[in-house]
Amino acid sequence: MVAQTRAGNSAPKRLAFNEKIVGKGLATDALLKKLKALHTELAELDQELVDVNSLSTVRTQLVNTSILLHKDRGVKAYAACCLADILRLYAPDAPYTHTELRDIFQFFFRQLATGLRGAEASYYNEYFHLLESLSTELMVDIFRDFFGLVRRDLAKKIEIFIADILVALIDECQALPSEVLETIMAQFMASDTQPAYRLAVQVCNATADKLQRHVCQYFTDIIVAHSHESDSESNFEEIRKAHELVKQLSRSCPSLLHSVIPQLEEELRVEEVQVRLIATQALGEMFSEKGGAELVKKYPTTWNVWLMRKNDKSAAVRLKLVESAKGLLVNLHDHRETVDELMRLKLLDPDEKVRAAVCKVYSQLDYETVLHYVSEDQLRSIAGRGMDKKNSVRVEALNSLGKLYSIAYPEMYGSSLYRHQAPDPIDSENNDPAAIRHFSWIPNEILHISNSTQEARLAAEQVIADFIFPLPSGSSASTSKNIDVNEVAWTDRLLNTMGYLDDRGGGVIDEDEDVVKQRLNNVIRHISRQFGDPQKAAEDLHAFARANENRSYKLLKTCLDTQTDLKGLVKASNEFLRRIESSSESILGTMTVFLRRAMLRIVNQSSIPILIKRVQKADSKHAQTLLTYISKHCPALYKPHTSELTKAIADEKNVRLVEVGMQALAAVSQSDEALAVNDKRTLERVMRYVLGSNPRVAKFAARILVASKEHDDLCAEAVESIARKLSTADPDLLVAHTAVLAQFARLAPDAFERKSDVLMTFLVKKLLMVPSPADPDEMDSDADWVEDDDVQPRLRARILALKVCRNRCLAHASTDTALEVATPVLKMLSTLLDHAGSYSADATDDPKVKSRMRLQAAISLLHLSVVDKFAIAINTNFISLAITVQDPCYNVRMEFLMKLFPLLTARKLPPRYNLIPFLTVHDPEADVKSRAISYVTHASRNVSAAAKVDLFEIIFIRLLHLLAHHPDFSNAHENLQEMAKYIDFYLDLIASSDNVSLLYHLAMKAKTVRDGQSHTYSENLYAMSELTQELIKARAQARSWSLQSYPGKVKLPSDILRALPNPEAATKILKTVYLPEETSAWLLESSKTQKPVGTSKEKRREPREPKDSKSPPKRKASRHRANGTTKRAKTARWNSDQSESEEEPSSDDSEQDDGEDTPTKPSSEREDGSSGQESDEEANGKKGEQHRKPSRRAGTRAKRKISQQVKKKGNHARKS
């Protein structure tokens, strides 16, 4: 007990007196002297420090009759004092028999009765000492006996009587014995349900004024006694016990601590860390109690000093401060701002344990507290820690968000995964707007965090699995077998959550790589790259494969089977993980992550009927989105549901349902010939849809016709019908017919070619070549983009006409007439790029039309570039195509990148197309550049070393060539500084100590050849070569990289570079400096500082504010960039999942193209020749009109639009 802690660790003290006080011949004076000495020594002994064994001799002699019956009053007075001291030192166990004790107390009272007659009486002090000792002993005995008595569960009335007696004793006593206080304090260490605890509380609250000083001294003695040996853990343990007692008193008798709290305040300032730690924890818990608000009000100075521990130099103290914050958030509502500021500051604490503790605190709060007393900004600050560099912080932050969303979900939607619990969320009346506003953004933020870094992805996935979309699983085998899953609630939870997801897409996702999956090692290597620790993941996957346990394989196959429903997934996944845990627990973590990522745990077989029903009855947009995604990426889920889809397309009044059903039927028909639609009645309905005016439905209906057995006749019939009606079709019907023709041109070329002359003549001359001037009545005449929903039918038809041309070229790619068919199309598409979306430089087309047309032209050229023969033809216009990523319109840049990345990831495009992401360095919108960085980082990390050389390193010289041809290039110093940023951006993402020699070698080789087009571009290339060499040298110096001569041979691309005519020309070029002196001086100064020029390290993406359902306002360009890039409006999009249709202008049927038999290139760099060693005459002979100078409008477009805006604003001001 704490009452015993005052002894500390000192050794017991023995009685020094060793003389005999009983014996014959002992004179009275001598005996009196000995008793006086004995009394003096006994009075000075402390009960807690004495060795009672040393008292055995004197205690026996003192009760001898020769002492008790001595004739001398002084002998008997001193003997009585000595006996009183003996009883005190032995307390609570008297060392005498009952008979001896009776004689002793009779002796005491006789001495007091005869000797205590006034201050002048002899031996008065001894009689007073005797009386004082007796009063102390009796009082201590009374308190000990009463607290022992009350433990016998006596009647409540008896407890009250006892309390009254003890209160009276304390009130009447002049000096409270320390043993009494220790007895009272000891009761507070028991359970608060014990009668002794209740009695102590009553006594202390009734005598608080008198006990305050004693309690303060009591704790002071304990702390002082144990602070001298601060290196002893046992001493700190005693101090902790004392502070535990303080906390108990704070809960039940706070008035006792009037002088103790300031003492704890002083402890917060001491140098000893352990004392500060204990005091911080104790005060934190006291402030966190229900009475904490009153404590803060009563001791404001102590509260402020405690808060200052947030800056304590010891992380352990700061950690204890943070761990107390849960109670502060729950109970100190009046101090919410102070606590919020404390927690927000500690989210940025340098110690990861403190940051993690802050996040953990919020995960422990209840729903009502978070809703009413924790701001959304504070929750978003926690979400920001989801991208912390330390895993422990990321895990706690994401777990906190996940738990809060999980407890808030029933209040938002009232759903349950079990049939016997909550009602269907669609019918739920919960839907608390405050809860939705406060918590609905959490899944969206977690999804974005999962796409930020590989490290954050693992923790985010775990939280999504545990809290956002938790599978309904039992805790035992029996429960998992008999579990009753509410499949409707499961699906609706997904739909409800989707309602608050924004349009920001994720990172780059690898497509299916058949070659990689041919061997187990390659499969494991591919899968393990997605783990935080790829090496351990690979080892664990190999261990699972080596185990070769049939039941586990069967369970895993069931989990991964697209035909398994939700209940089957729950059962199989539970059993699979239990078997892994019992057989090989070390791989359980890896296999859990693998299973979570591989199986269809969120959308599966059980979801399809419910999603169709939601579209049918509730017209759910999110259900349609999911069904669209399934159609594009996993149509096998529809196999058991084709009859339901066939019924869905018969409901012609429900347009959205028909559209979803047609897309699903088209997808499943193309994925499995056995499931193609061949029913005559259904095909008649499909034919009506093909010829109808709904573009999306018509497009999918065309795909269904192509997959049917009688596709030749049906497609030919449809093409002939469209050819007859095309010229007289109204705008909406024209869009639908063009969408169908785009499908037939690619999937049914024979049927299309029967009427190709008529169709292509109309599409080109009557649709594409017709001018599209701006509407003079339009309010926003300067707008350069129109949202998908606002695109006019005529523009939709024009965009689809470009797709018809593109698809026709792809359909003939493997024929001998491929170039004959494609050449006019390639020329038309290149013209659109050269003239910013028009067919002539002086065209006055609507800017919105032009931006849509040049975007579609660029995307079409990308898709045509997957064919070798087309890629060679497009190469002459590659620079114009590449700088589309620097278009003045934000939407054009972003859409172009999003179509480029899947083709690059699948390695369908020549390696030179990997240069395009590096042109985003000057983009004024952070998300454009961040997506480019994400692709390059992901792609370069997940390819072999040899492939990285081909895809990202050898093309470095092509980057220099492209920059030399860039429309904004000039030899001015300011411009070269901007060009240096391109090089540094590339080096930031690609350069390393392993490849820096190769990159430097390529930069030098650029001065050993000439440009294939003109002397002017050759000089540009030489300037870029010199600039790049200096930048690489500065980087190598800053990073201590060894810049050695590259030992290998490199073949330079002969399609863009030519050999120099003679050695003299080569010598002259090498000796000539092409950089301006100002630039050379700038590079020299930069190299001295040993900092790379134009560092392009990206800041960590901060969570954005949730977007409204409306489109955001236009963000006008604020300044002109050297690369011609201008800030423009962003538009909300669902990537390509929402816009894959033919009639949606910014869309592209990548899902269709990827699934078709499109000729692709080998993985090597197909456009590079041997060495470019051609003669000057040959080079000159190859020059001609095909080498057209790229349009410089990329750099002036933005400036012109800004001028127009300024003029417009000025005119408006004058009018007003």
Side-chain angles (χ1 to χ4, degrees):
M1 292 188 297
V2 175
Q4 297 173 339
T5 63
R6 298 174 64 190
N9 294 328
S10 302
K13 189 173 182 180
R14 295 181 62 82
L15 181 68
F17 183 86
N18 59 0
E19 299 185 40
K20 289 184 178 183
I21 56 176
V22 176
K24 293 181 179 181
L26 190 61
T28 299
D29 291 341
L31 178 59
L32 189 62
K33 184 176 181 182
K34 290 181 180 182
L35 287 174
K36 186 176 181 180
L38 176 61
H39 165 57
T40 302
E41 187 174 356
L42 287 174
E44 293 176 354
L45 289 177
D46 192 325
Q47 179 188 10
E48 304 295 335
L49 299 176
V50 67
D51 181 1
V52 292
N53 292 327
S54 66
L55 306 178
S56 58
T57 301
V58 296
R59 72 175 173 80
T60 304
Q61 294 180 15
L62 284 171
V63 294
N64 192 284
T65 56
S66 64
I67 298 295
L68 298 178
L69 301 176
H70 202 282
K71 295 179 180 180
D72 188 79
R73 291 175 58 197
V75 170
K76 289 187 286 187
Y78 277 111
C81 291
C82 290
L83 282 170
D85 287 331
I86 290 293
L87 291 175
R88 175 179 60 82
L89 295 173
Y90 271 96
D93 301 319
Y96 298 109
T97 66
H98 290 293
T99 302
E100 290 174 332
L101 285 174
R102 183 195 62 196
D103 293 341
I104 290 171
F105 278 98
Q106 288 178 353
F107 175 68
F108 286 161
F109 288 116
R110 282 199 305 271
Q111 300 310 308
L112 292 174
T114 59
L116 193 59
R117 296 182 179 180
E120 302 300 328
S122 57
Y123 302 109
Y124 173 79
N125 291 335
E126 283 67 36
Y127 291 129
F128 181 84
H129 176 81
L130 174 61
L131 182 61
E132 184 182 31
S133 298
L134 286 176
S135 66
T136 300
E137 289 298 327
L138 290 173
M139 193 170 181
V140 170
D141 288 340
I142 290 172
F143 271 82
R144 284 174 180 163
D145 292 342
F146 276 0
F147 277 116
L149 185 65
V150 82
R151 290 189 177 93
R152 300 175 184 175
D153 294 330
L154 302 175
K156 187 69 175 178
K157 197 170 185 180
I158 296 178
E159 283 188 31
I160 296 175
F161 290 155
I162 293 175
D164 291 342
I165 293 172
L166 298 182
V167 169
L169 287 173
I170 294 175
D171 285 340
E172 295 301 326
C173 74
Q174 296 298 318
L176 184 70
S178 60
E179 292 85 349
V180 171
L181 185 61
E182 289 172 357
T183 301
I184 297 173
M185 295 294 102
Q187 311 312 312
F188 287 98
M189 300 307 292
S191 171
D192 57 3
T193 61
Q194 295 294 326
Y197 181 93
R198 295 196 302 268
L199 177 60
V201 171
Q202 292 180 56
V203 171
C204 288
N205 284 328
T207 59
D209 292 342
K210 192 159 187 176
L211 290 180
Q212 282 178 2
R213 179 174 57 83
H214 299 285
V215 170
C216 179
Q217 186 61 43
Y218 174 78
F219 287 110
T220 301
D221 292 345
I222 294 175
I223 294 171
V224 171
H226 294 281
S227 61
H228 296 303
E229 301 180 17
S230 58
D231 57 338
S232 173
E233 183 60 32
S234 61
N235 283 318
F236 290 129
E237 185 60 31
E238 297 302 333
I239 296 177
R240 288 191 189 94
K241 289 181 181 179
H243 285 76
E244 286 293 327
L245 180 55
V246 173
K247 289 187 289 186
Q248 288 288 350
L249 292 175
S250 176
R251 297 186 187 103
S252 53
C253 309
S255 54
L256 282 182
L257 303 177
H258 180 72
S259 301
V260 176
I261 299 299
Q263 182 177 332
L264 296 182
E265 178 184 328
E266 291 304 316
E267 291 180 8
L268 295 174
R269 297 187 174 99
V270 302
E271 190 66 26
E272 176 55 52
V273 174
Q274 285 294 334
V275 175
R276 292 204 312 276
L277 189 66
I278 295 171
T280 301
Q281 180 179 2
L283 280 171
E285 295 180 15
M286 290 160 64
F287 288 135
S288 299
E289 297 286 345
K290 291 184 178 180
E294 185 63 29
L295 197 64
V296 172
K297 184 177 180 180
K298 192 172 182 181
Y299 304 100
T301 305
T302 304
W303 164 251
N304 290 327
V305 173
W306 182 81
L307 286 176
M308 289 307 296
R309 290 306 94 208
K310 65 186 177 184
N311 299 322
D312 197 285
K313 61 184 178 181
S314 171
V317 175
R318 302 197 302 272
L319 182 61
K320 288 299 180 184
L321 182 84
V322 166
E323 290 174 345
S324 307
K326 176 188 174 183
L328 303 181
L329 291 168
V330 173
N331 297 313
L332 298 188
H333 299 157
D334 293 340
H335 300 273
R336 170 184 167 184
E337 293 183 2
T338 302
V339 179
D340 280 355
E341 181 60 28
L342 165 68
M343 300 300 276
R344 190 176 295 112
L345 178 65
K346 291 298 96 184
L347 278 173
L348 304 176
D349 194 275
D351 189 271
E352 64 176 288
K353 293 181 180 178
V354 177
R355 301 197 302 274
V358 175
C359 299
K360 188 174 182 178
V361 164
Y362 287 93
S363 71
Q364 299 168 344
L365 298 176
D366 61 276
Y367 165 76
E368 293 294 337
T369 299
V370 178
L371 180 64
H372 298 295
Y373 301 110
V374 178
S375 66
E376 182 182 337
D377 289 341
Q378 191 77 342
L379 294 180
R380 288 187 179 274
S381 298
I382 298 170
R385 291 300 92 207
M387 294 183 288
D388 196 281
K389 62 182 180 180
K390 296 295 184 180
N391 182 64
S392 61
V393 184
R394 293 195 300 268
V395 169
E396 289 295 348
L398 292 171
N399 277 340
S400 180
L401 293 177
K403 288 178 181 178
L404 292 178
Y405 182 80
S406 181
I407 62 175
Y409 184 85
E411 302 299 327
M412 293 190 287
Y413 309 111
S415 69
S416 171
L417 301 184
Y418 302 93
R419 296 188 186 279
H420 62 277
Q421 293 183 2
D424 190 317
I426 296 300
D427 302 324
S428 173
E429 297 180 358
N430 291 49
N431 292 330
D432 183 357
I436 293 174
R437 184 171 55 255
H438 212 65
F439 300 100
S440 61
W441 57 271
I442 289 177
N444 184 65
E445 196 60 42
I446 293 176
L447 286 172
H448 293 314
I449 290 172
S450 71
N451 291 319
S452 61
T453 64
Q454 187 68 30
E455 293 75 17
R457 180 182 179 187
L458 187 63
E461 285 179 349
Q462 186 68 52
V463 170
I464 292 171
D466 292 344
F467 301 111
I468 309 302
F469 300 117
L471 279 179
S473 57
S475 58
S476 64
S478 59
T479 56
S480 65
K481 289 180 181 178
N482 301 322
I483 195 169
D484 192 12
V485 178
N486 189 340
E487 297 171 347
V488 176
W490 168 260
T491 304
D492 283 326
R493 182 175 182 122
L494 173 60
L495 296 177
N496 290 330
T497 302
M498 285 181 62
Y500 299 94
L501 302 181
D502 66 20
D503 62 304
R504 284 183 282 161
V508 181
I509 301 174
D510 280 339
E511 298 294 335
D512 201 12
E513 297 183 31
D514 296 334
V515 176
V516 175
K517 295 182 179 179
Q518 290 178 1
R519 298 201 310 268
L520 176 64
N521 288 342
N522 288 342
V523 172
I524 290 178
R525 188 182 307 113
H526 179 72
I527 294 173
S528 62
R529 287 171 182 161
Q530 310 304 320
F531 284 74
D533 187 348
Q535 182 177 355
K536 184 181 186 305
E539 292 173 355
D540 291 348
L541 291 171
H542 276 295
F544 175 75
R546 286 194 299 269
N548 198 23
E549 209 274 312
N550 289 335
R551 179 60 180 167
S552 296
Y553 273 123
K554 185 176 181 181
L555 290 169
L556 182 60
K557 185 178 180 180
T558 302
C559 292
L560 304 187
D561 188 358
T562 57
Q563 305 308 309
T564 304
D565 61 7
L566 178 59
K567 187 174 181 179
L569 283 176
V570 172
K571 181 179 178 181
S573 61
N574 285 348
E575 184 179 350
F576 175 78
L577 294 177
R578 282 198 303 271
R579 293 183 71 89
I580 294 297
E581 184 176 15
S582 61
S583 61
S584 183
E585 188 175 0
S586 62
I587 70 172
L588 179 62
T590 298
M591 297 309 298
T592 300
V593 175
F594 170 74
L595 186 64
R596 186 172 64 234
R597 293 178 177 178
M599 72 179 186
L600 300 176
R601 64 186 315 276
I602 296 179
V603 178
N604 45 59
Q605 275 296 333
S606 301
S607 310
I608 304 302
I610 301 164
L611 291 174
I612 294 175
K613 188 180 297 184
R614 289 288 175 263
V615 176
Q616 182 178 11
K617 295 184 177 180
D619 200 29
S620 171
K621 177 182 177 182
H622 301 304
Q624 181 185 11
T625 299
L626 286 174
L627 291 171
T628 299
Y629 188 88
I630 294 170
S631 299
K632 294 173 63 176
H633 300 288
C634 193
L637 284 176
Y638 291 129
K639 284 184 179 181
H641 308 289
T642 52
S643 60
E644 297 173 59
L645 296 174
T646 303
K647 292 178 183 178
I649 67 172
D651 188 2
E652 298 185 15
K653 294 182 179 180
N654 192 333
V655 178
R656 182 171 288 183
L657 180 63
V658 171
E659 179 183 320
V660 168
M662 293 296 290
Q663 184 176 12
L665 276 178
V668 77
S669 298
Q670 290 180 310
S671 65
D672 189 345
E673 293 182 0
L675 297 175
V677 176
N678 292 304
D679 177 67
K680 183 177 180 180
R681 186 175 180 181
T682 304
L683 286 176
E684 289 176 354
R685 181 177 290 110
V686 171
M687 178 62 80
R688 289 199 301 272
Y689 286 136
V690 168
L691 302 178
S693 59
N694 187 314
R696 283 183 62 81
V697 174
K699 177 186 71 172
F700 299 133
R703 294 180 182 177
I704 294 175
L705 286 187
V706 171
S708 65
K709 290 182 179 179
E710 302 177 1
H711 62 88
D712 290 338
D713 296 337
L714 292 174
C715 293
E717 179 184 345
V719 168
E720 291 180 2
S721 177
I722 291 174
R724 289 194 304 269
K725 301 176 182 178
L726 200 58
S727 58
T728 58
D730 60 68
D732 290 331
L733 186 60
L734 178 62
V735 174
H737 284 347
T738 313
V740 172
L741 292 177
Q743 295 300 307
F744 286 153
R746 182 70 182 93
L747 303 175
D750 292 340
F752 182 87
E753 290 302 323
R754 294 183 184 182
K755 293 291 182 178
S756 61
D757 292 342
V758 176
L759 296 173
M760 294 305 297
T761 299
F762 175 84
L763 293 176
V764 174
K765 294 185 178 180
K766 302 296 184 181
L767 190 56
L768 288 173
M769 295 297 182
V770 175
S772 300
D775 186 353
D777 297 330
E778 188 175 3
M779 297 293 293
D780 192 4
S781 59
D782 289 335
D784 60 356
W785 186 258
V786 59
E787 301 299 332
D788 289 350
D789 294 338
D790 299 329
V791 174
Q792 295 298 317
R794 190 77 181 178
L795 177 55
R796 290 181 184 272
R798 294 184 70 184
I799 293 171
L800 289 168
L802 290 180
K803 291 187 178 182
V804 173
C805 298
R806 181 191 80 194
N807 286 349
R808 185 169 179 245
C809 294
L810 291 173
H812 289 80
S814 58
T815 67
D816 296 335
T817 60
L819 285 177
E820 181 182 344
V821 173
T823 298
V825 175
L826 296 178
K827 183 177 180 180
M828 177 180 64
L829 297 175
S830 299
T831 301
L832 286 172
L833 288 185
D834 290 340
H835 299 306
S838 298
Y839 291 101
S840 62
D842 56 352
T844 58
D845 291 338
D846 188 342
K848 297 186 290 294
V849 174
K850 293 170 68 175
S851 62
R852 287 285 187 172
M853 292 297 286
R854 67 178 179 266
L855 171 62
Q856 190 56 48
I859 293 174
S860 296
L861 287 173
L862 287 179
H863 281 276
L864 291 172
S865 296
V866 304
V867 181
D868 281 342
K869 57 186 73 175
F870 298 159
I872 295 173
I874 294 172
N875 193 34
T876 56
N877 295 95
F878 174 72
I879 296 176
S880 297
L881 176 60
I883 62 175
T884 302
V885 80
Q886 298 178 336
D887 193 276
C889 178
Y890 163 82
N891 301 85
V892 173
R893 303 195 305 273
M894 181 57 80
E895 288 291 335
F896 179 71
L897 273 182
M898 298 315 294
K899 298 301 180 183
L900 171 69
F901 290 153
L903 295 174
L904 288 177
T905 302
R907 301 192 195 178
K908 292 185 176 182
L909 292 173
R912 63 176 174 270
Y913 284 78
N914 279 307
L915 294 175
I916 296 176
F918 298 108
L919 300 182
T920 62
V921 64
H922 291 299
D923 201 292
E925 298 292 350
D927 53 349
V928 175
K929 185 177 176 182
S930 65
R931 286 181 185 270
I933 293 173
S934 177
Y935 162 74
V936 174
T937 303
H938 182 276
S940 61
R941 185 179 62 230
N942 291 314
V943 297
S944 63
K948 184 179 180 181
V949 173
D950 290 338
L951 296 175
F952 292 101
E953 296 174 8
I954 289 294
I955 63 170
F956 185 44
I957 196 167
R958 286 185 175 274
L959 177 61
L960 304 185
H961 174 269
L962 189 155
L963 296 177
H965 284 254
H966 196 284
D968 294 328
F969 183 91
S970 75
N971 212 33
H973 171 64
E974 293 77 9
N975 182 271
L976 289 173
Q977 285 182 309
E978 296 298 307
M979 290 296 160
K981 294 180 181 179
Y982 289 103
I983 303 302
D984 271 316
F985 186 44
Y986 173 90
L987 296 176
D988 285 340
L989 297 177
I990 300 299
S992 67
S993 59
D994 297 328
N995 63 17
V996 66
S997 296
L998 171 60
L999 300 181
Y1000 187 73
H1001 178 75
L1002 290 170
M1004 290 193 302
K1005 293 289 285 185
K1007 284 194 72 173
T1008 65
V1009 292
R1010 61 184 177 85
D1011 187 86
Q1013 188 169 340
S1014 73
H1015 178 69
T1016 300
Y1017 289 131
S1018 293
E1019 292 189 349
N1020 293 352
L1021 179 63
Y1022 302 152
M1024 287 304 305
S1025 172
E1026 294 176 0
L1027 177 64
T1028 303
Q1029 290 179 56
E1030 294 301 323
L1031 292 174
I1032 292 177
K1033 286 193 291 185
R1035 180 175 294 263
Q1037 179 183 354
R1039 289 163 173 74
S1040 301
W1041 291 345
S1042 176
L1043 195 58
Q1044 300 177 352
S1045 298
Y1046 183 69
K1049 293 184 179 180
V1050 178
K1051 294 181 179 180
L1052 301 183
S1054 59
D1055 58 320
I1056 58 174
L1057 302 175
R1058 301 289 183 268
L1060 293 173
N1062 51 62
E1064 291 76 14
T1067 302
K1068 181 178 179 182
I1069 291 170
L1070 289 174
K1071 291 183 178 181
T1072 304
V1073 177
Y1074 292 88
L1075 285 178
E1077 292 183 3
E1078 187 178 1
T1079 303
S1080 298
W1082 171 68
L1083 289 169
L1084 180 62
E1085 184 64 26
S1086 299
S1087 64
K1088 288 181 179 179
T1089 60
Q1090 295 189 348
K1091 290 182 180 180
V1093 182
T1095 302
S1096 60
K1097 289 185 178 178
E1098 287 294 294
K1099 294 182 179 178
R1100 190 180 297 275
R1101 178 179 60 82
E1102 294 295 334
R1104 300 185 184 182
E1105 295 296 327
K1107 296 183 180 179
D1108 296 332
S1109 57
K1110 298 180 180 180
S1111 298
K1114 291 281 186 180
R1115 294 192 287 172
K1116 295 296 182 181
S1118 58
R1119 56 175 176 159
H1120 170 61
R1121 287 281 190 181
N1123 67 339
T1125 304
T1126 312
K1127 254 189 179 177
R1128 283 296 171 202
K1130 296 185 188 178
T1131 56
R1133 295 186 54 83
W1134 267 91
N1135 284 341
S1136 60
D1137 297 340
Q1138 287 278 61
S1139 59
E1140 52 80 46
S1141 65
E1142 291 287 0
E1143 76 280 7
E1144 292 186 2
S1146 64
S1147 67
D1148 187 76
D1149 276 344
S1150 59
E1151 79 281 3
Q1152 176 65 42
D1153 298 335
D1154 292 348
E1156 296 160 0
D1157 298 328
T1158 303
T1160 59
K1161 292 178 176 285
S1163 60
S1164 60
E1165 185 160 348
R1166 288 154 288 190
E1167 75 277 16
D1168 286 354
S1170 56
S1171 61
Q1173 303 297 318
E1174 296 186 24
S1175 65
D1176 191 41
E1177 291 77 17
E1178 290 173 336
N1180 291 332
K1182 291 187 178 181
K1183 289 183 182 180
E1185 293 183 359
Q1186 61 178 349
H1187 298 291
R1188 290 174 295 181
K1189 184 177 180 181
S1191 172
R1192 293 185 177 270
R1193 297 191 178 191
T1196 59
R1197 223 174 275 144
K1199 185 182 295 184
R1200 184 173 65 253
K1201 295 186 75 64
I1202 294 173
S1203 300
Q1204 292 172 355
Q1205 292 168 12
V1206 172
K1207 290 180 181 178
K1208 181 179 178 182
K1209 290 179 180 179
N1211 294 335
H1212 179 73
R1214 286 192 294 272
K1215 289 179 182 179
S1216 60

